[in-house]
Amino acid sequence: MGVEVMDRRANENLYLHRDFHRALNAAVRYVHEHHGEDAVRSWLRDFARAWYAPLREALMRGDLDCLRQHIERTYGIEGVAVKVRQGPDALTVEVPGCPAEAYIRACGEDVAGLFFETTRTVNEAICEGTPYRSEFRGYDPATGAATQTFRRGPP
Amino acid sequence: MISCTEFIPAYSELFRALQRLGGRKAVEEFWNCLSDRFLTNLRELVSEHGLRGCWLYWSRTLNEEAADFTMELDEEQGLFRIRMHHCPSKGRLLEADHFLPYPDYCRHCDVLYRRVLEPLGFTYDIDLSNCDRAACTLTVRGPAKPHPAEGGGNPPGDAT
């Protein structure tokens, strides 16, 4: 038998561990069951405000391109092409299906009832304190498809 | 959607949120629950393959996470070890100047895996003394498996 050794450097692989979607799904379910809906939204809001602070700063300057690039990158890395319409004051993103939800289902697990908040609440938090407001419409719980709109305007 | 490449900061912020809601106890309870519900694949692999199950489990996860590591399996000595030279998760948290990681972030790796492996009869140790540099060493020990050539290779339950 002897000793088996696996030696890897970070640049030998692509960082794409889709099981993290399952872990996020489990976390959303856990917080919902043990601490309630508001706790789920509060956690996701705090996360988004902190982690996406550089993106929020760009939005405060009116840089909608930065948000479009972020969304295209988020879905693109998982192989999903989103349909984007961008005007001077608005960005609309049509997501044909959520790759995170698709992965969770492919693993034989149910998508948590509040999993969509990982998009809706996160988008709202990214827009907080910026000239933009987000909308999350047409969510299809069977596929995760939805339309996300970011529009300059009052709350 | 939170990309799977941005899960780690969401995870870190979850620990902080749980601590606010119920103190350390709430964080520990979540880790215990996640271990029980989520690490079923590690539990199944180790139940079926023994120490090799650790090798099979972490071969996949660490490569998908693009970790910088050296992993060793010595079934004759009953030893499995991961030397994490640069943890992709903690590394990302440390690299983000604008984000404050949960102070005890790395301890989830102690709780989650220990809770799976020790009830299966293995000893589990993780050295987190260098986790502020995104480095750690995880060691799992189990019964030595004699080399077949030494006459000790009969599988369990085989009386021949």
Side-chain angles (χ1 to χ4, degrees):
Chain A
M1 289 185 283
V3 182
E4 294 175 57
V5 178
M6 183 182 292
D7 200 34
R8 291 283 187 279
R9 303 286 75 81
N11 61 9
E12 293 179 59
N13 285 300
L14 173 70
Y15 180 63
L16 193 68
H17 183 48
R18 288 192 170 95
D19 268 358
F20 283 153
H21 291 312
R22 293 178 50 233
L24 181 64
N25 190 50
V28 168
R29 179 175 287 117
Y30 178 90
V31 177
H32 188 188
E33 287 174 357
H34 291 80
H35 301 283
E37 288 190 27
D38 287 348
V40 175
R41 296 190 184 102
S42 176
W43 152 43
L44 293 171
R45 175 177 179 265
D46 290 347
F47 152 70
R49 286 176 58 88
W51 182 248
Y52 297 118
L55 178 59
R56 295 177 62 234
E57 285 171 16
L59 271 186
M60 285 174 201
R61 298 192 302 268
D63 185 354
L64 211 47
D65 288 345
C66 209
L67 180 59
R68 174 179 51 75
Q69 288 161 6
H70 163 72
I71 292 174
E72 287 177 337
R73 192 167 52 243
T74 294
Y75 288 94
I77 196 169
E78 308 227 22
V80 171
V82 295
K83 189 173 171 184
V84 175
R85 293 192 304 278
Q86 185 176 351
D89 292 323
L91 173 69
T92 300
V93 182
E94 290 180 27
V95 179
C98 174
E101 294 187 23
Y103 182 80
I104 293 162
R105 287 194 184 88
C107 292
E109 296 173 10
D110 293 332
V111 175
L114 292 181
F115 193 81
F116 69 92
E117 296 290 5
T118 65
T119 301
R120 188 176 78 167
T121 293
V122 165
N123 286 354
E124 287 176 0
I126 288 171
C127 289
E128 273 184 44
T130 80
Y132 296 93
R133 299 293 167 263
S134 73
E135 291 175 14
F136 181 73
R137 291 176 292 113
Y139 174 68
D140 179 356
T143 63
T147 301
Q148 303 172 34
T149 303
F150 303 86
R151 186 174 287 115
R152 188 185 282 271
Chain B
M1 183 186 81
I2 298 170
S3 164
C4 64
T5 62
E6 292 181 318
F7 166 74
I8 294 302
Y11 198 39
S12 173
E13 201 62 26
L14 170 60
F15 302 162
R16 194 183 304 281
L18 289 170
Q19 178 139 341
R20 270 198 302 270
L21 287 164
R24 287 288 305 225
K25 184 169 177 284
V27 182
E28 298 267 347
E29 284 171 353
F30 169 70
W31 287 341
N32 289 341
C33 183
L34 194 66
S35 178
D36 294 345
R37 287 190 190 178
F38 187 72
L39 290 181
T40 51
N41 45 355
L42 173 62
R43 191 172 291 108
E44 287 164 6
L45 284 168
V46 175
S47 297
E48 184 176 352
H49 301 284
L51 269 184
R52 181 163 294 278
C54 293
W55 173 274
L56 295 170
Y57 175 81
W58 272 291
S59 292
R60 177 181 164 222
T61 60
L62 295 183
N63 279 295
E64 288 186 359
E65 293 180 54
D68 193 316
F69 67 97
T70 304
M71 190 164 76
E72 303 164 43
L73 173 66
D74 186 342
E75 291 181 294
E76 288 177 41
Q77 295 298 318
L79 176 72
F80 171 80
R81 178 174 288 142
I82 298 169
R83 298 181 201 276
M84 182 64 72
H85 310 302
H86 188 79
C87 170
S89 299
K90 187 60 179 287
R92 270 174 175 72
L93 295 176
L94 293 175
E95 284 160 15
D97 293 337
H98 66 283
F99 189 80
L100 190 63
Y102 179 67
D104 211 7
Y105 176 83
C106 292
R107 220 173 70 73
H108 76 274
C109 276
D110 187 0
V111 175
L112 265 69
Y113 302 122
R114 182 184 302 284
R115 194 172 167 89
V116 172
L117 295 168
E118 288 189 341
L120 294 173
F122 297 88
T123 63
Y124 175 85
D125 179 63
I126 188 164
D127 176 3
L128 296 174
S129 59
N130 291 309
C131 69
D132 58 343
R133 296 199 299 274
C136 66
T137 301
L138 180 160
T139 307
V140 184
R141 293 180 192 275
K145 186 175 176 182
H147 193 285
E150 293 169 6
N154 292 340
D158 185 347
T160 56

